[in-house]
Each structure stands twice: as structure tokens, then as C-alpha cells.
Amino acid sequence: AIILKSCGHVLLSSYVKELVLPTMRCPACNKKISNNKKEMIELKQGGTSYSGGGEAVESSKYKTGVR
């Protein structure tokens, strides 16, 4: 996914290649987009983190022996 900074719309990267780059306009709102590479930000999944790094996380209830 890629976010267009000028208008804030998020598009699939395949749509950006097919629709945005030839015309340099947002297909959702028709706003002009500059030729600057900083105008389009690629969104990526986080690499690693404490809670699993993108993998399935399973939780379980902890029971103590004390009542």
C-alpha cells in the first residue's frame, strides 16, 4: 500500500503504477501530485516486535496453585 501525501489517500501499489504514475493525479479525488518521490510513502508491515512480529499470537489464562 502507498499513501499519497498531497491528499492522504491510500492505494495499492499496483494501482499507483497503473493509474497514478502515468497521469500524476490521484484516481480518488483527481488532485495533482508532484513528481517528488517523497510525495508517495510506501506502507510496510512492521519487522519485529515483542508481541510476535507479524505472526499469530496466542494467549492463555494463567492459573496459580494458590487459592
Side-chain angles (χ1 to χ4, degrees), residues 24-49:
M24 293 311 289
R25 291 194 170 274
C26 176
C29 65
N30 204 29
K31 188 170 184 177
K32 181 87 172 138
I33 299 168
S34 69
N35 251 347
N36 191 353
K37 287 188 177 185
K38 293 180 182 178
E39 190 69 29
M40 298 178 207
I41 301 171
E42 185 177 2
L43 303 176
K44 297 181 181 179
Q45 182 178 0
T48 60
S49 68

